[in-house]
Amino acid sequence: MSNCFILLAAGKGKRFKSNKPKQFINYVNKPLFMHSVDKALESRLFKSIIIVSNVPLKNIRNKSIKVIKGGKERYQSSQNAINFLKNKKIKNVFVHDAARPNFSIKLLKRLYSNLKNNKAVVPFLKTEDSSKYKVRNKFQNLARDNLLFTQTPQCFDFKTLHKLYISNKEKVTDEASIFLNNNYKVKFIKGEKNNFKITTNSDLKKIQLKNFYGIGFDIHRLIKNKKLYLGGIKIPFHSGLQGHSDGDVILHAIIDGLLGAMRKKDIGSLYPSHKDKFKNIRSPNMLLPILKILDKNGYFINNIDINLICERPKVSRYRGKIISSLSNLLSINKDQINLKGKTVEKLGLIGKEKAIACETIVSLNYYA
Ligand code: ZN
């Protein structure tokens, strides 16, 4: 089935105070428009995705995504996309405003199933407020039960929408208007409250994020003739950390903190030490699958606090390098990471430089 998802991201967002158009600002850990792209991809409903944007978009490497230029007004951007799709054997088309990042994949599926018996399906909400309508200088009461507030995504039979758009001269604010203007039937289905449009800066705070915390601890013995790895980088030292892997206590404690916050057991259950395939594994490679679980389940890192417990090496000497490395490995900013060094007054194994330990606290945000 050749369904196409058109994402309109060419707007200027005049009511939004930022030096970037709102659709490109960072919203819940990624550019705002990417929330819609990711959901369209995840739904597996679409053969292609067209992003209409007036700025070049970097880092879009998915072959099913195409970026085209938009017009001055929303309807012109939409027209550009519809024209672009002409002769591309598209059966159905979904049109969506990038300023609505919070719709659900369930909504996409409900829209699609209603499209089987309709040429236009549009989500809407009702209002709880009493409504008035101004005609010239007179206000009239409106029956609120008869009022529909339409949202996007809206979906259509491509041929019909294309035909109507060719002859359209009006400055419509959504595609449903073109159907109604031409007396074509539109099937209205229930929309979603969370699918609000982000228009002003305060709309960015409407979604409440849940927080989760995880604690991590690790200790490895120091042995001669092994390289020392901490936070993913090699540190010059007289010994290295013994272990099934490279013994990187910082990364292991971070992994356990992350798993703890996601309530997904511990590092040992993912990487059992009796399994030969994990022998000598580098710790950054142990981190990758955890970051995938994080992303897939809608979590992202808020901050990480680390205590590295050792007599030597001196943490202050390597702090910058370790934080840079962690920021790279975890794809977070440096200011989300704090690294503290703790000595133990030369006490015990750690004090005698026979072991290094690490503890972490990880804070995750959850958005789904
Ligand atoms: Zn370990």
Side-chain angles (χ1 to χ4, degrees), residues 99-307:
R100 294 182 190 268
N102 295 312
F103 66 92
S104 72
I105 293 174
K106 233 181 180 172
L107 177 62
L108 287 180
K109 294 196 169 159
R110 275 200 295 125
L111 285 161
Y112 181 57
S113 71
N114 276 282
L115 203 52
K116 277 168 198 147
N117 300 313
N118 297 283
K119 301 241 184 263
V121 187
V122 170
F124 76 97
L125 284 185
K126 293 207 156 202
T127 181
E128 299 302 322
D129 301 323
S130 294
S131 306
K132 314 282 178 273
Y133 189 72
K134 190 177 173 187
V135 186
R136 293 196 187 94
N137 279 327
K138 250 188 139 182
F139 287 95
Q140 292 174 357
N141 288 313
L142 280 184
R144 68 174 166 212
D145 283 344
N146 295 334
L147 271 181
L148 304 188
F149 293 90
T150 57
Q151 304 184 323
T152 68
Q154 303 186 349
C155 64
F156 309 92
D157 170 67
F158 178 73
K159 269 190 195 155
T160 317
L161 181 65
H162 182 246
K163 187 178 79 184
L164 294 177
Y165 246 136
I166 291 175
S167 53
N168 175 60
K169 299 255 169 350
E170 285 189 52
K171 214 171 150 175
V172 288
T173 54
D174 68 353
E175 284 61 41
S177 310
I178 304 176
F179 269 68
L180 297 176
N181 287 348
N182 289 282
N183 295 318
Y184 276 63
K185 195 189 150 217
V186 172
K187 164 87 175 171
F188 289 101
I189 67 166
K190 211 166 172 252
E192 293 174 334
K193 270 207 169 135
N194 270 348
N195 186 20
F196 55 85
K197 197 169 182 175
I198 291 182
T199 315
T200 62
N201 296 58
S202 64
D203 295 330
L204 296 173
K205 294 179 192 127
K206 273 189 188 168
I207 286 273
Q208 293 278 325
L209 297 173
K210 279 190 189 166
N211 292 313
F212 291 94
Y213 303 96
I215 183 169
F217 177 80
D218 197 28
I219 182 163
H220 283 258
R221 249 173 223 282
L222 281 163
I223 50 163
K224 295 274 173 208
N225 303 319
K226 207 176 169 189
K227 287 168 188 156
L228 176 65
Y229 286 97
L230 288 173
I233 53 164
K234 205 158 61 176
I235 307 273
F237 201 49
H238 57 69
S239 306
L241 292 167
Q242 187 181 31
H244 205 61
S245 64
D246 61 14
D248 191 327
V249 282
I250 295 186
L251 285 183
H252 295 179
I254 288 176
I255 289 174
D256 255 357
L258 291 169
L259 290 170
M262 292 191 286
R263 289 139 296 137
K264 294 205 182 287
K265 298 184 192 159
D266 54 31
I267 191 168
S269 19
L270 278 164
Y271 300 102
S273 53
H274 61 271
K275 289 248 164 101
D276 274 352
K277 69 170 174 175
F278 300 128
K279 202 165 163 46
N280 296 326
I281 186 173
R282 284 290 321 276
S283 298
N285 295 331
M286 299 169 77
L287 182 67
L288 283 176
I290 285 76
L291 296 179
K292 277 197 185 135
I293 302 174
L294 206 76
D295 196 45
K296 204 173 154 241
N297 290 284
Y299 294 99
F300 56 94
I301 296 166
N302 188 27
N303 76 309
I304 298 183
D305 190 23
I306 306 160
N307 280 344

